[in-house]
Amino acid sequence: MTKQSRQRHLAELRARREAERKAAERRRARITYGAIAGVVLVVAVGAALILTTRGDEPASPASPAPGATPMDARADAPSAPATVACGAKVPPRKPRPTFTAAPKVSVKPTDKYTAKLLTSCGEIDIALDAKASPKAISSWVFLASKGYYDSTWFHRIVPGGAAGIGVVQGGDPEGTGTGGPGYNLAEEPPKGRDKPYARYTVAMAKSSAPNSTGSQFFINTQDNSKTLSPDYTYVGVVTKGRDVVDKLAAIPTGGQSGDTPQQSAWIEKLTVTKG
């Protein structure tokens, strides 16, 4: 390479870095201005956080590691890290359909339903509240019967702490925060509940648009009742495997927003039982 060619190449590199720096500044500005627009900063952060579509902020997946095969669940969720948490392995690929309409309400408020999640770090049982959220619970029953949640990973982990909220989010077959079953549900805000988003409770993710609940859900890993606006559908509470939830919450995170898991934790199997 001649001296002139090297100089031209270096100039191109400098221009590219400068463009990347300015783009990053614009992204940070959009996030900052969006947070300032809220009445209370912490509420704005909470409202922007659990977005099915992540709002104006693009998903920040970890760099996919090589090695995924057509039979590997990472074939459908390439942003999932190849290293699996808790010493587990990537589950097999699970083809799943999408749907054009939400299922009809099929649960009775007096019946008891339990969602059993076999994850990379152990089993989690969730007591589903059919009385509080019949539409959402009917959707869980329906999607679980189709194997919809099987071989999906927890694509978002927000560490929490005094300044923010703490959640583990999953239920997206694409693993990016933008996927869903093909239908939306109207939100079913919690009523008469003192702490609807207390530690180990479960709620549905949504976007800022009304009636945007899909398949994504989050487990609260700390009491977020004062930081989240009370318009996320309450699903239930973890009754078994709270130590497993703690393991998921402790997975190292990184990425642009600091909420991208650096190890993948999978829902290997999700079933809903009645009674």
Side-chain angles (χ1 to χ4, degrees):
M1 181 183 291
T2 65
K3 180 178 181 180
Q4 186 176 14
S5 297
R6 283 197 302 272
Q7 290 176 340
R8 184 168 58 253
H9 179 64
L10 291 173
E12 291 174 351
L13 287 176
R14 284 194 296 270
R16 187 180 307 131
R17 292 193 187 103
E18 180 65 17
E20 291 173 350
R21 183 185 66 79
K22 290 182 178 179
E25 289 178 351
R26 287 194 295 271
R27 286 194 297 270
R28 286 194 295 270
R30 284 198 300 270
I31 295 169
T32 301
Y33 298 151
I36 292 174
V39 176
V40 179
L41 177 60
V42 70
V43 174
V45 172
L49 181 63
I50 312 298
L51 299 183
T52 302
T53 59
R54 291 182 177 240
D56 295 330
E57 180 188 356
S60 52
S63 299
T69 71
M71 301 302 291
D72 190 316
R74 291 175 66 241
D76 295 318
S79 59
T83 301
V84 183
C86 302
K89 297 180 180 180
V90 178
R93 187 180 189 183
K94 175 69 177 184
R96 58 185 60 79
T98 56
F99 310 93
T100 57
K104 295 181 179 179
V105 172
S106 60
V107 299
K108 296 180 180 180
T110 54
D111 289 339
K112 295 182 179 180
Y113 297 86
T114 300
K116 291 183 175 291
L117 287 67
L118 179 59
T119 78
S120 300
C121 295
E123 185 178 297
I124 299 171
D125 285 6
I126 302 171
L128 301 175
D129 195 332
K131 181 178 180 181
S133 312
K135 295 178 183 177
I137 304 309
S138 295
S139 180
W140 274 63
V141 172
F142 172 73
L143 292 176
S145 71
K146 304 296 183 181
Y148 186 85
Y149 287 111
D150 300 353
S151 296
T152 61
W153 74 297
F154 291 101
H155 63 274
R156 200 173 201 187
I157 299 175
V158 187
I165 70 171
V167 299
V168 173
Q169 185 171 333
D172 175 8
E174 298 176 12
T176 60
T178 62
Y183 61 79
N184 290 328
L185 302 171
E187 281 68 55
E188 299 169 282
K191 297 178 180 179
R193 193 173 295 276
D194 183 36
K195 294 184 176 181
Y197 310 122
R199 189 178 184 186
Y200 301 122
T201 58
V202 185
M204 299 303 293
K206 67 181 186 65
S207 73
S208 57
N211 304 329
S212 57
T213 295
S215 59
Q216 293 187 47
F217 64 91
F218 58 94
I219 304 173
N220 292 288
T221 56
Q222 67 180 40
D223 187 358
N224 299 313
S225 299
K226 293 183 178 179
T227 53
L228 285 176
S229 57
D231 54 3
Y232 296 94
T233 298
Y234 172 83
V235 173
V237 62
V238 174
T239 56
K240 176 183 176 182
R242 293 185 174 185
D243 59 326
V244 177
V245 174
D246 294 341
K247 290 178 183 179
L248 297 175
I251 292 174
T253 57
Q256 179 180 323
S257 301
D259 59 3
T260 302
Q262 301 302 288
Q263 299 173 3
S264 59
W266 298 84
I267 298 174
E268 298 174 1
K269 183 74 175 177
L270 190 157
T271 58
V272 175
T273 58
K274 178 181 175 181

